[in-house]
Amino acid sequence: MNKPKIGLALAGGVGYCMTHIGVLQALEQANLKPDIIAGTSGGALIGALYASGIRLDRIEEIAKSIKWNKLMGPHFLFKGLGSSKPIEDLMDELLGKGRRFADLNTRLLVSAVDLVSERKIMFPEDESQTISLPVRASCSLPLVFSPVRYRDRLLVDGGMLVPLPVRELKAAGADFVIAADFKVARDEPKNMFDVALRTLRIANQERVDDAMKAADIMIESHIGGGSRWDLAAATDLIKVGRMAAEDILARNGEKIKAIKG
C-alpha cells in the first residue's frame, strides 16, 4: 500500500503562532514528516519557513529575535494602516528573493481572502508563483495592515474565511491531516485589535469547529492569558506548543503507527 499523504494545517493567531514551532519539533521527534503544509496568517509564515527547508533550531532563533518594527516598518499607508511590505521583505531575506512554491522542500498552501470577490484564494494558483507576496497577504490582518494589491485583487488575512485549513488540505490530496490551533483564556479584550480578533473568531467559530472535526489529529495549545501581541514570549509559546503536541501524539499512538506503515 502507498504511504498516506500527511497534511499539516497551521492556524493564524499573530504571536500565538510561535506554538507551531513547538508542534513541528514534536512531529520531527516522532518522525512525522508532513507531505503538505497549509497555513493561514502567521501559520503561513511559519509553514513557509519550514517548507523551505530551514531547520527548526534556526526558525526558533528567528522567532526569538523578531520585533514588531521588523514586521511593520516605519511607514503607514492606506488611510493610516501599517504596510505589510516588511513581511514580504522578511520572507525574501529568509527564503531568498524570488523563491517559488515549486522550489520548496515540502508542498505549501497559503490562504488569503480577496476583498473584491469576497472569496478565499489558495496559493499557489501556479507553482511558478513566488512565496513572499502570498505569505504577506495571508498575514495582512485588517485594522492592523493595509490590504495587498495583487493583479485585480485586494488581499487580506486568510483567517477571514480559512481560520484552520484542514478541508483545503484534504481537497489538495492529503489523506491524514494533523491540525494545530490555540485555546486561549476568555478574558476581556485589551485593545481595538483584540476586539477585532475576538469578533473575527466568534464569527468564524462554526468554520473552526468544522475544521477541527475534519482533522484526523487535533492539537490545541493552551495559551492561558498571554497576549498574542507579545512576541517576546516566543520561548514559552514554543514550549507550550511542543508539550501540547507531544501529549496529543502520545494519545494517538495507534493512529500514528497506522500512518507510518
Side-chain angles (χ1 to χ4, degrees):
M1 292 181 64
N2 293 329
K3 179 180 174 295
K5 285 186 179 178
I6 300 172
L8 176 62
L10 302 176
V14 195
Y16 293 161
C17 292
M18 305 286 192
T19 61
H20 293 330
I21 300 170
V23 169
L24 285 162
Q25 290 173 343
L27 291 178
E28 278 200 356
Q29 187 175 24
N31 198 27
L32 280 171
K33 174 72 173 174
D35 299 290
I36 314 174
I37 299 172
T40 288
S41 195
L45 194 155
I46 298 294
L49 296 180
Y50 187 72
S52 73
I54 298 176
R55 290 170 52 93
L56 282 174
D57 55 357
R58 173 59 182 144
I59 296 175
E60 184 169 355
E61 287 178 4
I62 294 167
K64 289 177 179 178
S65 65
I66 204 73
K67 306 294 182 188
W68 274 114
N69 59 2
K70 180 75 170 176
L71 296 176
M72 296 192 74
H75 305 296
F76 291 87
L77 305 173
F78 201 83
K79 298 182 180 178
L81 297 184
S83 170
S84 57
K85 182 62 165 58
I87 295 175
E88 184 177 351
D89 294 340
L90 177 65
M91 297 307 294
D92 282 337
E93 176 187 329
L94 296 173
L95 304 184
K97 190 171 179 62
R99 190 80 178 269
R100 304 172 305 160
F101 282 89
D103 301 327
L104 293 173
N105 293 22
T106 303
R107 187 178 170 195
L108 176 71
L109 305 177
V110 171
S111 70
V113 172
D114 176 24
L115 292 180
V116 178
S117 67
E118 300 181 4
R119 294 174 181 266
K120 73 178 181 183
I121 307 293
M122 295 301 298
F123 290 99
E125 297 167 300
D126 182 308
E127 291 292 326
S128 66
Q129 286 178 312
T130 56
I131 302 160
S132 57
L133 186 139
V135 170
R136 170 191 173 186
S138 190
C139 292
S140 293
L141 180 68
L143 295 183
V144 178
F145 294 112
S146 59
V148 176
R149 291 195 176 276
Y150 176 68
R151 297 177 180 169
D152 58 346
R153 296 167 175 164
L154 202 57
L155 302 176
V156 295
D157 194 318
M160 298 290 291
L161 290 177
V162 190
L164 185 61
V166 173
R167 294 198 179 276
E168 288 72 18
L169 277 170
K170 295 204 168 185
D175 303 302
F176 189 95
V177 175
I178 301 168
D181 199 358
F182 327 98
K183 195 174 185 68
V184 299
R186 297 294 187 210
D187 54 0
E188 290 187 9
K190 297 176 176 61
N191 53 55
M192 62 178 284
F193 303 124
D194 282 344
V195 170
L197 285 167
R198 183 70 62 85
T199 302
L200 175 60
R201 181 74 179 197
I202 293 168
N204 258 334
Q205 195 57 56
E206 286 189 13
R207 289 191 182 95
V208 174
D209 292 343
D210 178 70
M212 291 174 71
K213 289 174 185 175
D216 296 286
I217 292 180
M218 185 68 225
I219 300 168
E220 277 191 292
S221 297
H222 289 241
I223 305 298
S227 170
R228 71 179 71 235
W229 309 102
D230 184 9
L231 300 182
T235 300
D236 291 337
L237 290 168
I238 292 168
K239 182 178 179 180
V240 166
R242 184 174 64 250
M243 292 175 64
E246 287 172 349
D247 178 56
I248 294 299
L249 293 178
R251 293 190 200 182
N252 287 273
E254 290 303 315
K255 284 185 178 181
I256 300 300
K257 185 177 178 181
I259 62 172
K260 284 184 176 180

